[in-house]
Amino acid sequence: MAPLKVGIIGLGATGPALGPGAWAVAAHLASFVPSPHYEIVAVCNSSVESAQRSIDFHKLPSAVKAYGNPEDIANDPNVDLVVVSIIVTNHHKVAKPAVLAKKQIFVEWPLGANTAEAEELTKLAKEANLKTIVGSQFRLDPALIKFKELIDSGAIGKVTSTQAQYSPFSGPPGTWMADAAYYLDFKSGGNEFHIAFGHFFDSFLYVLGDFATVKATFSQQYPIMKLVNTKTGEIVDPAFPKTAPDHMFVQGVLYSGAIASVNYNRPGELVGKTLRWTISGTEGEIELTLNGALQMGHSEREIRIKTGEDKEPRVVDWQVSTPAHVEGVQFPGQNTARLFEAYAHGDKSVPDFEDGLRLHRLLDRIAKDAGYA
Amino acid sequence: MAPLKVGIIGLGATGPALGPGAWAVAAHLASFVPSPHYEIVAVCNSSVESAQRSIDFHKLPSAVKAYGNPEDIANDPNVDLVVVSIIVTNHHKVAKPAVLAKKQIFVEWPLGANTAEAEELTKLAKEANLKTIVGSQFRLDPALIKFKELIDSGAIGKVTSTQAQYSPFSGPPGTWMADAAYYLDFKSGGNEFHIAFGHFFDSFLYVLGDFATVKATFSQQYPIMKLVNTKTGEIVDPAFPKTAPDHMFVQGVLYSGAIASVNYNRPGELVGKTLRWTISGTEGEIELTLNGALQMGHSEREIRIKTGEDKEPRVVDWQVSTPAHVEGVQFPGQNTARLFEAYAHGDKSVPDFEDGLRLHRLLDRIAKDAGYA
């Protein structure tokens, strides 16, 4: 089959570091370039010049088109799939033209800066019967796939309870990058709750389904943040007020009947793992631990299970063989590469706008109970 | 100093097994007999004959008095300390005469079958300026003492969050002892919530203080229980309806400002430890794990800590040297022996009626939020 022709919105003229435009480099460019299933045919930035700079910087073929606004890339008849990888506040504005142009479309998580935006995009895409993707790529992690497969197969019987402790370690909890200050703002829709917590919650819903009842307590343990210029290391603002929570503790009963707890915290140090997710059932218990960056792949992961037949917990092998063009994608793009590989094969586990909208709605319920809405 | 003269209410003519009257044998008798600080001088059961049977069974000295009602043992001028170790539904009725007689008094946790009973006992004891003890003995566990000491000393800085997962493993979760069916009844005040969960919560409050805000979700994963005769193994009732919850998930913000989560579940199997209690702070993180019976001592316990100075978590030594008459007390009486040893030395960490009442009130707030009140 001919490769899918990709137009990327938000590809920086930069290396795969943290910062504006860098995620598209680290995850999307890294996934598409080696893949036989995709061909980059267009890049759109805030100006044609900026797009052309990226094309040149990354040595993309000279035939790749440079665009300066989302309507132009959306209306390029040569583009099959539009990939949106920009700040969340602009997702809706930039994705909508591609949806109206009936392109296949990928939007990074969160889908919208708020649920209304996500609802409109999902409704339009559904009416046009479009194929859509949301960038919550942990679903494609092979350890998570194995974890879900074991639960679905009844390996631990009926699920009775689940508890997840998620402590992503991304530097000192009272310091943040000056050029990503929106991440500290609850109203931006792209903060620690919606992004870091939300990403994990997507996989939670994927494995165990939605909450019938939900309660939540949020806390700001670091309400005043030090903003740092990541290039110079200089402190740009020693006392920036944060409006987003940095601790989100959620509990409830799932539609399955199981009781659930998901706690996100920001410890200064970590005695255990980044993620410890235990699922208990009538016939056994299973635990997924992960040390490193949840979404990104190439982290230390372990699944242990114990059923009535085991004297001690057993370690479960979750490794799968993956084509070289996927396996070769470096951290942090690994799980994104798995997602695009699965999409190219029509795999139904790839998260779509409906999944994104469901997550938006649950996050709203959680924020409301915590007094943040 | 002359030994304290003890009158025990609820000493069974039985070995230290599970069942009515057995806890007083396993914990109290086992603690008092070898101790130089205590002397058993009276036993009270439901009849003088029953009390005398216990005195004979345990080969107590012939001078030990046998009583058949709580007023008589309360009014024995030779008794300094009355110890109440009976079913919780009768705590108030049996303890009140001792309080009115101005004895030192020990009552097993829960202090009352409800908060009103605990309030009355606490008020009367306070008015008479009595020394009181509640049997939440995990406070005296040397690992818990070390854990608290490290937190109080600021070893991990200011506490920002805490998460405890408590999964006591006491046999198959759908089966229970026929002669302790009250444990399945929420209204008895002596069920899984008030006893198993409550015992852990006492130590939680002791280490970290009370909750400013609290939310809770309860669940019955095993609403229909199999009742078994523990002596014959025979199923007495295959489908006994349970009104108490078997899963209690609690979260909130402490008065200290830290965010907290305590989850109690009943897995069929256990991949990890019975208790995993993590406390995170601005300068580090500390974790207490325990495998075995929380209250009882002689369990596998470990404290690990990591601060900015540590590359890896460090194991903390929590062992203390204890007099032989304490150290020699067998499981499950070990921590009770530590409690009575501490009481004999006037140690302020021994939980009293005020502590018990505080716990009753918090459990009421929790149950109310969970819709169980």
Side-chain angles (χ1 to χ4, degrees):
Chain A
M1 223 174 66
L4 212 57
K5 289 169 182 164
V6 176
I8 302 185
I9 305 181
L11 183 72
T14 174
L18 270 174
W23 179 252
V25 176
H28 303 302
L29 188 71
S31 297
F32 293 135
V33 168
S35 173
H37 308 302
Y38 297 92
E39 180 190 351
I40 296 173
V41 298
V43 170
C44 174
N45 281 352
S46 52
S47 67
V48 172
E49 294 69 34
S50 162
Q52 191 58 53
R53 260 202 309 279
S54 276
I55 291 167
D56 298 342
F57 181 90
H58 296 295
K59 300 185 172 54
L60 294 177
S62 57
V64 173
K65 294 274 173 55
Y67 292 113
N69 71 67
E71 282 77 15
D72 292 344
I73 196 167
N75 293 318
D76 181 338
N78 196 38
V79 168
D80 301 319
L81 167 68
V82 172
V83 169
V84 177
S85 180
I86 57 170
I87 184 170
V88 63
T89 41
N90 294 335
H91 277 185
H92 176 267
K93 182 174 78 181
V94 159
K96 192 172 168 182
V99 172
L100 292 176
K102 303 200 189 312
K103 300 294 188 191
Q104 296 176 48
I105 180 156
F106 170 102
V107 178
E108 275 298 347
W109 171 257
L111 178 51
N114 53 57
T115 301
E117 290 186 357
E119 271 165 354
E120 194 194 355
L121 291 177
T122 305
K123 184 169 168 282
L124 291 173
K126 199 176 176 182
E127 284 168 1
N129 199 26
L130 304 185
K131 291 171 80 178
T132 60
I133 319 170
V134 164
S136 39
Q137 67 272 14
F138 189 48
R139 287 194 187 197
L140 280 305
D141 189 284
L144 191 86
I145 289 171
K146 185 69 181 180
F147 195 53
K148 177 171 164 58
E149 189 183 297
L150 287 163
I151 297 299
D152 290 348
S153 74
I156 60 163
K158 182 180 178 301
V159 174
T160 50
S161 70
T162 185
Q163 300 176 74
Q165 295 190 351
Y166 181 34
S167 313
F169 193 73
S170 33
T175 301
W176 190 247
M177 300 169 282
D179 58 3
Y182 66 90
Y183 194 74
L184 307 175
D185 173 17
F186 188 72
K187 294 214 184 301
S188 75
N191 46 61
E192 197 155 11
F193 171 59
H194 291 97
I195 293 186
F197 179 83
H199 262 295
F200 174 69
F201 238 62
D202 176 75
S203 48
F204 184 92
L205 298 185
Y206 182 54
V207 174
L208 291 173
D210 211 335
F211 281 72
T213 68
V214 71
K215 294 185 180 185
T217 302
F218 289 0
S219 171
Q220 283 187 322
Q221 292 296 323
Y222 297 91
I224 303 298
M225 301 290 285
K226 234 185 274 180
L227 293 190
V228 174
N229 179 318
T230 43
K231 286 189 184 101
T232 64
E234 186 196 355
I235 295 173
V236 174
D237 187 336
F240 184 86
K242 184 169 63 179
T243 60
D246 43 36
H247 287 64
M248 288 73 77
F249 284 17
V250 177
Q251 62 173 216
V253 175
L254 307 182
Y255 282 110
S256 72
I259 184 169
S261 161
V262 178
N263 295 340
Y264 177 104
N265 76 343
R266 283 296 300 274
E269 299 285 334
L270 203 50
V271 166
K273 307 285 185 176
T274 308
L275 173 70
R276 177 185 301 278
W277 184 4
T278 309
I279 305 182
S280 312
T282 48
E283 311 297 326
E285 190 166 71
I286 188 166
E287 190 169 82
L288 171 65
T289 56
L290 187 148
N291 223 14
L294 180 70
Q295 289 296 314
M296 327 273 189
H298 291 313
S299 298
E300 174 199 327
R301 282 157 280 183
E302 189 175 68
I303 299 175
R304 294 193 305 149
I305 190 169
K306 188 171 186 295
T307 67
E309 287 146 28
D310 308 313
K311 285 206 167 165
E312 294 296 328
R314 271 180 292 127
V315 173
V316 175
D317 180 23
W318 50 264
Q319 299 279 1
V320 288
S321 81
T322 320
H325 65 270
V326 174
E327 194 57 45
V329 175
Q330 294 304 301
F331 178 88
Q334 175 68 212
N335 283 345
T336 301
R338 293 183 188 276
L339 180 146
F340 284 120
E341 180 70 10
Y343 182 74
H345 289 96
D347 188 327
K348 297 293 176 204
S349 67
V350 174
D352 62 14
F353 281 13
E354 298 273 0
D355 294 314
L357 180 56
R358 192 176 305 124
L359 180 54
H360 268 290
R361 286 178 174 153
L362 178 56
L363 293 182
D364 281 355
R365 289 167 67 198
I366 289 169
K368 192 176 173 196
D369 192 77
Y372 268 71
Chain B
M1 224 174 65
L4 211 58
K5 289 168 183 166
V6 176
I8 301 185
I9 305 181
L11 183 71
T14 175
L18 268 175
W23 180 252
V25 176
H28 303 301
L29 187 71
S31 298
F32 293 135
V33 167
S35 173
H37 308 302
Y38 296 92
E39 179 189 354
I40 295 172
V41 298
V43 170
C44 174
N45 281 350
S46 53
S47 68
V48 173
E49 295 69 34
S50 162
Q52 191 59 52
R53 264 202 306 279
S54 276
I55 291 166
D56 298 342
F57 182 91
H58 296 294
K59 300 186 171 52
L60 294 177
S62 57
V64 172
K65 293 276 173 54
Y67 293 112
N69 73 66
E71 283 77 16
D72 291 345
I73 197 169
N75 293 319
D76 181 337
N78 196 37
V79 169
D80 300 318
L81 167 68
V82 172
V83 168
V84 177
S85 181
I86 58 170
I87 184 171
V88 63
T89 40
N90 293 335
H91 277 184
H92 176 267
K93 183 173 78 182
V94 159
K96 192 171 169 182
V99 172
L100 292 176
K102 303 198 190 311
K103 300 295 188 191
Q104 296 176 48
I105 181 157
F106 170 102
V107 179
E108 274 299 348
W109 172 256
L111 178 50
N114 53 55
T115 301
E117 290 185 0
E119 272 165 354
E120 194 194 356
L121 291 177
T122 305
K123 183 169 170 281
L124 291 172
K126 198 176 177 183
E127 284 167 3
N129 200 24
L130 303 185
K131 291 170 80 177
T132 61
I133 319 170
V134 164
S136 39
Q137 67 272 14
F138 188 47
R139 286 193 188 199
L140 280 305
D141 189 283
L144 191 86
I145 290 170
K146 185 68 182 180
F147 195 53
K148 178 173 164 58
E149 190 182 298
L150 286 164
I151 297 298
D152 291 348
S153 73
I156 60 162
K158 182 179 178 302
V159 174
T160 51
S161 70
T162 184
Q163 301 176 74
Q165 296 189 352
Y166 180 34
S167 313
F169 194 73
S170 32
T175 300
W176 191 246
M177 301 170 281
D179 57 4
Y182 66 91
Y183 194 74
L184 308 176
D185 174 16
F186 188 73
K187 295 214 183 305
S188 75
N191 47 61
E192 197 155 9
F193 171 59
H194 291 95
I195 293 186
F197 178 84
H199 262 295
F200 173 69
F201 238 63
D202 177 75
S203 48
F204 184 91
L205 298 185
Y206 182 54
V207 174
L208 292 173
D210 210 334
F211 282 72
T213 68
V214 72
K215 294 184 180 185
T217 302
F218 289 1
S219 170
Q220 282 187 324
Q221 292 296 323
Y222 297 91
I224 304 299
M225 300 289 285
K226 234 184 273 181
L227 293 189
V228 173
N229 179 318
T230 43
K231 286 189 184 101
T232 64
E234 189 195 352
I235 295 173
V236 173
D237 187 337
F240 184 86
K242 184 169 64 178
T243 60
D246 44 36
H247 287 65
M248 287 74 77
F249 283 18
V250 177
Q251 62 174 217
V253 176
L254 307 182
Y255 282 111
S256 72
I259 183 168
S261 162
V262 178
N263 295 339
Y264 177 104
N265 76 344
R266 282 297 299 275
E269 299 285 334
L270 202 51
V271 166
K273 307 284 185 176
T274 308
L275 173 70
R276 177 184 302 277
W277 185 3
T278 309
I279 305 181
S280 311
T282 49
E283 311 297 326
E285 190 166 71
I286 188 167
E287 190 169 82
L288 170 65
T289 56
L290 186 149
N291 222 14
L294 180 71
Q295 290 295 315
M296 327 274 189
H298 292 314
S299 298
E300 174 200 325
R301 280 157 280 182
E302 188 174 69
I303 299 175
R304 294 192 307 149
I305 190 169
K306 187 170 185 298
T307 67
E309 288 146 26
D310 308 314
K311 285 207 166 165
E312 294 296 326
R314 271 180 294 127
V315 173
V316 175
D317 180 23
W318 50 264
Q319 299 279 2
V320 288
S321 81
T322 321
H325 66 269
V326 174
E327 195 56 45
V329 175
Q330 294 303 301
F331 177 90
Q334 174 70 211
N335 282 346
T336 301
R338 293 183 188 274
L339 181 146
F340 283 119
E341 180 71 10
Y343 183 73
H345 290 97
D347 187 328
K348 297 293 175 202
S349 67
V350 174
D352 61 14
F353 281 13
E354 298 273 1
D355 294 314
L357 180 56
R358 191 176 306 125
L359 179 54
H360 268 290
R361 286 177 173 155
L362 177 56
L363 293 182
D364 282 354
R365 288 167 68 199
I366 289 169
K368 192 176 172 197
D369 192 77
Y372 268 70

